[in-house]
Amino acid sequence: MNVASSTSVALAIGVDFYGGNVWCSSALVTLLNLPFFYDHAEGDRACLLLHGLGGGTYELQPLAQVLHKAGWTVEGILYPGHDRRRAPMPASTWQQWYEAVVTAFQALRDRYPRVAVIGFSTGGTLALHLACHFAVDALVLLAPFLRIYRPWFCPVAPEKLVQSLGRWIPWLPRRHLPIRDRALRQAAEAACFFKSFNLQAVRSALDLIAQVEQELPRITIPTLILQSRGDTVVAPQGAQIIYDQLGGSQKELHWLKDSDHLLPLDVEREQVFAKVVAFLGR
């Protein structure tokens, strides 16, 4: 896989969580948009982390490092169309992303008795589709993409605009990343490959969502959902819809209030880390 981002920013991240063992650390973290694989050679559990549309592994890197310290083998991949810096963002499809996800998941399943999947935003939609068709042991959804955030002043559903205008407009410029923590936002923007959104890719993500909505009642594995009410990218009510329609009884939905969309890098990240580690450690 081609990877290229020599630009990174170092910053201090404090981590506090309770997940079987209690520990606290402060580490210097460099955000890089590179595939990662942190192995526990003697471990029997692995976690596949899936990034969002137009994003990359930097979105989940600090969470992956926390999980690795908690005893998990962790892997993060870059999807086709997301694996190198380009201007503007190239078109790619959910089928291409999903093929990469399945390949990575099956390789982990061949080596580890227990495999969990964590999906952020569109990565959450991909994780749901995977869980409907493969033997995933546990699922974590961080700000899952089911609906686009619609401001009060927008008279038309954003999905309709994407489906119509997206046929003729190839891409839109991207504003700053949706992170309220200024230091983390600067670090993420240095690592991010794209300053635009490809609307063909967004349309493909909407096609995936339409399919996943039909699959939700068939997904019965333990699932944790984390969503901020202050999200400005995905509509927060999408998390509630997913929770209500999942077929299993072992499901949790936790609401955050101070973060924007990119939960693993925002102001409530320590709460995110704590809840994910505790949930997966059961």
Side-chain angles (χ1 to χ4, degrees):
M1 179 179 293
N2 292 312
V3 291
S5 179
S6 59
T7 304
S8 61
V9 176
L11 62 155
I13 297 180
V15 178
D16 247 330
F17 68 82
Y18 299 82
N21 297 315
V22 180
W23 57 269
C24 178
S25 71
S26 181
L28 196 65
V29 176
T30 300
L31 294 184
L32 292 170
N33 203 9
L34 302 170
F36 56 75
F37 185 81
Y38 307 145
D39 192 16
H40 267 287
E42 304 301 323
D44 63 352
R45 54 185 184 170
C47 191
L48 178 62
L49 285 75
L50 305 177
H51 66 76
L53 175 63
T57 54
Y58 67 90
E59 298 170 327
L60 295 157
Q61 179 189 329
L63 174 58
Q65 292 172 341
V66 169
L67 286 168
H68 186 243
K69 290 180 180 178
W72 289 79
T73 289
V74 290
E75 182 174 12
I77 64 171
L78 289 170
Y79 315 140
H82 294 71
D83 56 356
R84 69 190 69 185
R85 189 180 297 275
R86 297 179 185 176
M89 176 183 170
S92 55
T93 67
W94 78 261
Q95 292 90 345
Q96 293 173 313
W97 316 331
Y98 184 64
E99 182 179 0
V101 169
V102 170
T103 298
F105 175 78
Q106 289 181 317
L108 290 175
R109 175 56 76 193
D110 288 343
R111 291 184 56 189
Y112 298 93
R114 185 182 180 198
V115 181
V117 178
I118 298 176
F120 163 67
S121 196
T122 298
T125 320
L126 289 164
L128 285 164
H129 190 54
L130 182 75
C132 186
H133 298 279
F134 289 87
V136 177
D137 291 294
L139 198 59
V140 175
L141 308 176
L142 306 176
F145 179 25
L146 198 73
R147 302 283 188 274
I148 302 173
Y149 172 73
R150 181 177 180 178
W152 65 267
F153 54 81
C154 184
V156 180
E159 289 84 356
K160 290 185 178 180
L161 291 174
V162 170
Q163 293 289 16
S164 57
L165 296 178
R167 299 178 182 275
W168 313 107
I169 302 175
W171 55 270
L172 289 176
R174 189 178 205 169
R175 299 184 301 119
H176 63 75
L177 291 179
I179 306 170
R180 292 179 181 168
D181 184 300
R182 182 176 298 178
L184 268 293
R185 184 172 68 243
Q186 291 175 347
E189 288 178 345
C192 181
F193 284 165
F194 309 120
K195 303 302 180 184
S196 64
F197 261 117
N198 185 285
L199 291 186
Q200 291 185 36
V202 178
R203 288 177 59 222
S204 187
L206 294 177
D207 292 341
L208 171 62
I209 288 169
Q211 184 163 334
V212 166
E213 287 194 86
Q214 303 302 312
E215 297 171 338
L216 289 174
R218 295 159 49 193
I219 300 172
T220 59
I221 62 172
T223 302
L224 169 68
I225 307 170
L226 296 175
Q227 176 64 56
S228 174
R229 297 188 187 277
D231 200 314
T232 63
V233 175
V234 305
Q237 62 264 34
Q240 187 69 57
I241 294 170
I242 293 171
Y243 176 82
D244 291 341
Q245 295 188 10
L246 283 172
S249 58
Q250 294 180 278
K251 54 186 179 181
E252 301 177 20
L253 171 58
H254 294 281
W255 292 97
L256 303 170
K257 61 183 179 66
D258 296 324
S259 301
D260 202 319
H261 183 54
L262 232 160
L263 297 181
L265 297 180
D266 217 332
V267 293
E268 294 165 302
R269 58 188 174 272
E270 294 182 7
Q271 293 183 46
V272 173
F273 299 162
K275 290 187 181 299
V276 171
V277 171
F279 177 80
L280 293 181
R282 295 175 185 173

